[in-house]
Amino acid sequence: MFRTALRNVLAHKARLLMTVLAVMLGVAFVSGTLVFTNTISDAFQKSSAKGFDQVDVAVTADSRAAEGDQVGKAHDLTRAELDKSERVPGAASAIGVVQGFTAIADKDGKLIGDGFQSQGGNYWGTKDPRYPLVSGHAPKGRGEILIDSETAERAGYEVGDTVRMSVDGPVLTPRITGIFTTDDGNVAAGGSLTLFDTATAQKLFGKAGTYDQIDVKAKAGVTQAALKAELDKALPGDRVETTTGKQLADDQARMISESMSGMQTALLVFAGIALFVGTFIIANTFTMLVAQRTKELALMRAVGASRRQVTRSVLIEAFVVGAVAAVAGLVAGIGIGAGLRSLMGTFDATVPDGPLIIKPATILTALAVGILVTMLAAWLPGRRAAKIPPVAAMNSVHAKATTKSLVLRNTLGALFSAAGVAVVLVATTMDGSDGQMPMGLGAVLLIIGVFILTPLLSRPLIAAAAPVLRAFGVSGKLARQNSVRNPRRTAATASALMIGLTLITGMTVMAGSLQQAIEKMASSSIKADYVVSMANGNPLSPDVEKKLARTDGVTATSPMRNAVSRIDGRTEYLTGVNGAAIGELAGPKVDAGSFKVGGTQVVVDSETAKSYGWKAGSAFTVSYEDGKKQQLTVAGTYESNDFLRGILLDQATLAPHESDPYNMKVMVKTAGGTSGATQDKLEKALGTNPAIKVQDKKDISNEIAQMFTLMLNMVYGLLAMAVIVAVLGVVNTLAMSVFERSQEIGMLRAIGLDRKGIKRMVRLESLVISLFGAVLGIGLGVFFGWAAGELLATRLATYELVLPWARMGVFLLLAATVGVLAALWPARRAARLNMLEAIKAE
């Protein structure tokens, strides 16, 4: 039986080629994902570990002590603690570390990198071992800085150039005195690092005479653990914490590994989808191969082969095919992993240098996935072939499904579909987070149900295309009949395309609806023309609002000032606003009362009001940051959103109780509305500061939607793999169907159907099958997009379903294109058959 299985594989090399390609693509996706994520993770971990080479023990403020201090008054390390650290036995040197946000502009005045990754620090002395200089010298005074080599290369800066920069304050224009290299992870991820001399850094970051961290280097022969023990003895345990460099590197490695695991999981999910689609192709291929060899298998049964041996023969074929595909997929996956790493640069993501990592687990996973998926997909056709009685098999090449099996299949499909729809509908009534798992379960049940029912659905849906196909004469009629001749085969072929389009359509529906919801939220809740904020989300200086208010053309401004308070024993953040102007600048939907802020009157979002049992007219007592209490009255409640939420009160009421006021945002209304000239005027009023963003409503909604757009584009790219596999399935099915119908095609040629007619017949059959899968996929995608949107609507009040008709039309057009392209080779092969040889074929 083993020799027979190998002979069959060698005899059907061409027919199995598409199956090998389908499995290979899925395995390549899996192994490429593992190689890519392992390589990136290893590069970042080694880079991170290298960054701790100069740190044997790090001394930081005790986080528990900081929690007990007042808000914003955490303990900083002093010069005395630095000196003690340097004098402990076993310490070779100690460096005081100062860190903070620093925005540096390129030559066009735009912020370099993401605001959250734009960092600043201090250069220790004249030669800091943490930051080797490539050129220039150490900075001295406020007018000199160092920048990292990556930033210098991206912005085209050299030693001696003057740059515009800001550290949560006015714009500075220092000169670059040196360029250094660093293993800092933020820089590797596309951020920037700017260094000042220590005294300047302390002053700019508001840490005069103190440090964020002390890095201690051990003498030769002294272990990190021994140095840590000495530091623990010398420094007050209730004020500082000590951590070894190894522990810091291990913690960083764990964080990198955890962050990469999310990306790895997401990519593997899409690889799994591609493999799942591939199983339809494998099952289809082996079903057709077994059907074509039914008489051969019956003869084997007649001469003594058992059912188990027949099934085993098919599984051995599958094993050989899977092994070949897995090895080819692994090799392709290694290439994909290397290619993805090189493509990171096109997304402005810098990755540290490092070797390509191919772990033994990656090799074993690739081989196991390829072989197991192929054998599992081939098991059912093999088992079905073994169950056919030898006499029945010899009398009929095609064993028809019994009425009992059809009833059972359709009943199961109906039950799965009904259960899936019911679970999804129940999930739409739940809260966003609670409904995610049930909705996922319902989606899986519904897809399985539709797949089981696809043979039943194929007849009426394909019959609907009959009027169009009649226009193609005999070729169109034959194409429709061929499409429904074997409903199971048509269903398996169409289902592969259906799954890909279901996911693509669902994501498109959600993304379009979210985009509109965000734009609607921005336009309805914000009346201000512009919102000003820090690039990294840090607080703005109170001077920003004063400068904006004095700018020509500005008619109203209001800060959004955060302040901590206590209400009924709970910590609650208050938002201070300009009570006289807030009505002009914000206009959320008011649920009850009025949107009036002033004196002791406040407005509260409905969720907060509900949690305290408040309504319009309710009074409550608030305890401010300074410990003083005051009674406030709820003037009205409003619908919260991502721009406005919480308790809003007049900043004049809040100001006397704040020791260090800060604004998170400033809303601005101008006489001329939004325009490029007005935005430039506001930016110039703030000194063209790279650390500050001036955004209109469109900018804000685009910034929020950018994440969804990027995600959608990634999904399109990743699901393209599943669609490619589905195309291979259509090609494979048509090619084998042509071979199976050789005699029939020969007869059609003999009675007058020319080669063009044969080609047209095969193409139309492919087109019908592809469009059938597309209609099912788009229909399911719209349903899932609507259902997922119902979950989002519980957290996003402006969410409404938006059907992307244009894109769905494009998807149908793409499916039609897939059908036409997939039929090119099979149609050409069918047309070139010799009619006399085809008629004699069995």
Side-chain angles (χ1 to χ4, degrees):
M1 295 303 292
F2 182 74
R3 286 198 301 273
T4 302
L6 288 179
R7 179 182 62 78
N8 284 325
V9 171
L10 295 174
H12 302 132
K13 295 189 292 292
R15 300 183 216 173
L16 291 168
L17 177 62
M18 293 300 173
T19 300
V20 170
L21 284 174
V23 179
M24 185 196 78
L25 283 172
V27 172
F29 206 157
V30 171
S31 54
T33 294
L34 294 173
V35 169
F36 171 66
T37 52
N38 288 337
T39 298
I40 298 299
S41 180
D42 181 77
F44 274 113
Q45 286 178 15
K46 285 181 177 176
S47 174
S48 173
K50 189 177 178 183
F52 291 111
D53 284 348
Q54 300 300 321
V55 185
D56 285 318
V57 178
V59 180
T60 56
D62 191 328
S63 57
R64 292 166 298 179
E67 288 170 7
D69 292 335
Q70 288 185 353
V71 177
K73 301 294 182 182
H75 166 64
D76 287 317
L77 300 170
T78 64
R79 180 72 201 193
E81 288 164 330
L82 173 65
D83 293 339
K84 279 186 181 179
S85 300
E86 194 169 22
R87 289 196 300 265
V88 299
S93 62
I95 293 174
V97 179
V98 185
Q99 298 170 325
F101 168 65
T102 301
I104 182 169
D106 59 20
K107 291 184 176 181
D108 295 325
K110 303 298 182 183
L111 177 67
I112 296 176
D114 187 352
F116 292 95
Q117 296 168 332
S118 303
Q119 299 296 318
N122 66 312
Y123 190 83
W124 192 254
T126 57
K127 188 175 182 181
D128 192 328
R130 300 172 299 167
Y131 307 113
L133 286 174
V134 175
S135 59
H137 60 80
K140 296 177 183 177
R142 193 182 181 95
E144 296 184 353
I145 60 165
L146 304 180
I147 63 170
D148 66 271
S149 56
E150 296 285 348
T151 299
E153 185 177 349
R154 287 202 303 271
Y157 282 133
E158 297 177 353
V159 173
D161 288 345
T162 298
V163 299
R164 294 181 66 80
M165 54 161 291
S166 175
V167 181
D168 190 19
V171 174
L172 305 175
T173 54
R175 185 172 59 88
I176 299 172
T177 62
I179 296 171
F180 63 92
T181 59
T182 177
D183 296 304
D184 187 279
N186 284 320
V187 174
S192 62
L193 181 59
T194 308
L195 301 180
F196 311 87
D197 68 82
T198 301
T200 301
Q202 287 174 325
K203 185 176 181 181
L204 289 174
F205 298 140
K207 296 164 184 173
T210 63
Y211 309 94
D212 295 299
Q213 182 174 307
I214 298 171
D215 292 343
V216 187
K217 184 73 176 169
K219 291 179 179 177
V222 178
T223 65
Q224 291 185 353
L227 179 59
K228 181 181 183 301
E230 293 294 339
L231 285 165
D232 287 339
K233 291 179 188 176
L235 299 173
D238 61 338
R239 288 177 61 83
V240 302
E241 292 178 304
T242 57
T243 312
T244 63
K246 183 180 182 306
Q247 183 63 50
L248 289 173
D250 290 345
D251 291 344
Q252 188 81 357
R254 188 182 68 255
M255 289 172 61
I256 292 169
S257 181
E258 288 174 358
S259 66
M260 292 303 296
S261 68
M263 180 193 295
Q264 188 179 79
T265 301
L267 290 172
L268 287 176
V269 165
F270 288 101
I273 292 168
L275 282 168
F276 182 59
V277 170
T279 58
F280 294 115
I281 300 172
I282 301 162
N284 231 10
T285 303
F286 277 93
T287 298
M288 296 170 77
L289 286 174
V290 167
Q292 291 166 13
R293 287 164 35 212
T294 305
K295 286 187 177 180
E296 176 190 325
L297 294 174
L299 267 175
M300 291 170 61
R301 290 287 312 282
V303 298
S306 65
R307 287 184 177 183
R308 184 174 295 177
Q309 285 178 309
V310 171
T311 305
R312 192 183 303 149
S313 171
V314 176
L315 289 178
I316 290 170
E317 290 181 50
F319 175 83
V320 174
V321 171
V324 171
V327 172
L330 175 62
V331 174
I334 293 171
I336 288 172
L340 284 173
R341 175 178 169 169
S342 64
L343 280 175
M344 291 287 282
T346 63
F347 296 103
D348 296 326
T350 309
V351 181
D353 292 330
L356 204 64
I357 304 299
I358 306 167
K359 293 184 178 181
T362 301
I363 298 172
L364 292 174
T365 300
L367 295 176
V369 165
I371 293 169
L372 287 176
V373 166
T374 309
M375 291 183 70
L376 284 172
W379 174 76
L380 190 59
R383 183 172 175 270
R384 191 183 297 137
K387 290 176 71 176
I388 300 174
V391 176
M394 288 181 185
N395 290 333
S396 176
V397 174
H398 304 293
K400 294 182 179 179
T402 63
T403 304
K404 181 182 177 181
S405 69
L406 290 174
V407 170
L408 179 62
R409 180 186 181 109
N410 293 338
T411 303
L412 277 175
L415 289 173
F416 270 99
S417 299
V421 171
V423 173
V424 169
L425 291 177
V426 169
T428 60
T429 64
M430 298 180 179
D431 183 62
S433 55
D434 296 335
Q436 289 176 4
M437 288 296 289
M439 185 163 290
L441 174 63
V444 171
L445 290 174
L446 181 54
I447 287 176
I448 292 172
V450 171
F451 169 65
I452 296 172
L453 286 175
T454 305
L456 180 66
L457 297 171
S458 64
R459 290 188 180 275
L461 288 176
I462 291 175
V468 178
L469 293 173
R470 282 196 200 104
F472 296 94
V474 175
S475 297
K477 183 178 180 181
L478 290 171
R480 184 181 65 80
Q481 291 174 347
N482 289 334
S483 300
V484 295
R485 177 186 295 183
N486 191 329
R488 288 187 176 182
R489 183 189 303 166
T490 298
T493 307
S495 294
L497 194 58
M498 176 192 79
I499 291 170
L501 283 176
T502 296
L503 295 168
I504 289 173
T505 305
M507 290 296 296
T508 303
V509 169
M510 285 182 60
S513 301
L514 273 172
Q515 176 72 49
Q516 180 169 302
I518 292 166
E519 289 178 0
K520 188 176 179 182
M521 187 198 329
S523 60
S524 63
S525 61
I526 298 181
K527 294 181 181 178
D529 293 320
Y530 294 97
V531 176
V532 180
S533 61
M534 289 290 287
N536 66 336
N538 277 359
L540 284 163
S541 166
D543 291 336
V544 169
E545 189 204 355
K546 295 175 184 176
K547 288 181 180 178
L548 290 169
R550 292 196 299 266
T551 303
D552 183 40
V554 172
T555 58
T557 63
S558 174
M560 295 185 71
R561 179 173 297 178
N562 280 12
V564 69
S565 70
R566 299 283 289 179
I567 301 173
D568 293 346
R570 289 156 55 180
T571 299
E572 200 69 56
Y573 280 89
L574 308 173
T575 302
V577 297
N578 182 346
I582 191 64
E584 294 181 62
L585 300 164
K589 181 181 176 183
V590 177
D591 294 330
S594 62
F595 193 72
K596 291 183 179 178
V597 178
T600 59
Q601 284 198 319
V602 301
V603 292
V604 187
D605 73 89
S606 300
E607 291 180 11
T608 303
K610 185 178 179 182
S611 68
Y612 285 101
W614 299 336
K615 57 184 179 179
S618 296
F620 63 93
T621 301
V622 61
S623 179
Y624 293 110
E625 178 188 335
D626 61 357
K628 293 182 180 179
K629 296 181 180 181
Q630 185 176 27
Q631 190 176 68
L632 303 175
T633 303
V634 179
T637 59
Y638 66 93
E639 201 172 81
S640 66
N641 53 59
D642 284 353
F643 302 108
L644 208 62
R645 64 177 65 246
I647 302 171
L648 308 185
L649 77 163
D650 197 336
Q651 64 174 340
T653 304
L654 180 63
H657 307 285
E658 292 184 291
S659 57
D660 186 16
Y662 61 88
N663 301 329
M664 295 308 297
K665 295 176 182 177
V666 176
M667 293 184 285
V668 181
K669 188 81 171 175
T670 60
T674 58
S675 68
T678 302
Q679 188 165 349
D680 288 342
K681 186 189 292 184
L682 295 177
E683 288 175 351
K684 286 178 181 177
L686 298 173
T688 316
N689 194 324
I692 298 176
K693 295 188 296 186
V694 179
Q695 298 175 296
D696 60 19
K697 285 181 277 193
K698 186 72 174 174
D699 293 332
I700 293 170
S701 60
N702 286 344
E703 186 176 64
I704 297 173
Q706 186 178 11
M707 178 179 65
F708 301 110
T709 304
L710 179 62
M711 189 184 303
L712 183 65
N713 291 335
M714 287 178 63
V715 168
Y716 281 165
L718 294 169
L719 287 176
M721 182 71 74
V723 174
I724 290 170
V725 173
V727 173
L728 292 176
V730 178
V731 175
N732 204 25
T733 300
L734 289 173
M736 297 189 74
S737 180
V738 166
F739 178 84
E740 194 177 75
R741 303 199 313 257
S742 295
Q743 190 178 55
E744 177 188 318
I745 291 169
M747 289 295 294
L748 288 170
R749 290 289 314 283
I751 62 175
L753 191 62
D754 60 9
R755 288 186 174 182
K756 284 185 178 179
I758 294 292
K759 283 184 178 180
R760 191 180 300 120
M761 177 187 74
V762 176
R763 287 171 185 161
L764 288 173
E765 182 182 347
S766 174
L767 185 64
V768 166
I769 292 172
S770 297
L771 287 175
F772 170 53
V775 168
L776 286 179
I778 292 172
L780 283 173
V782 169
F783 176 69
F784 290 139
W786 164 80
E790 290 297 299
L791 285 184
L792 285 171
T794 62
R795 298 193 172 187
L796 194 60
T798 54
Y799 185 91
E800 290 180 6
L801 180 67
V802 176
L803 292 180
W805 295 107
R807 289 206 179 190
M808 289 193 290
V810 170
F811 295 158
L812 275 175
L813 184 62
L814 286 174
T817 306
V818 163
V820 172
L821 294 176
L824 289 177
W825 176 59
R828 185 168 176 268
R829 184 182 175 194
R832 293 180 65 183
L833 284 174
N834 184 295
M835 70 176 75
L836 294 178
E837 290 181 2
I839 291 171
K840 291 188 295 181
E842 293 189 10

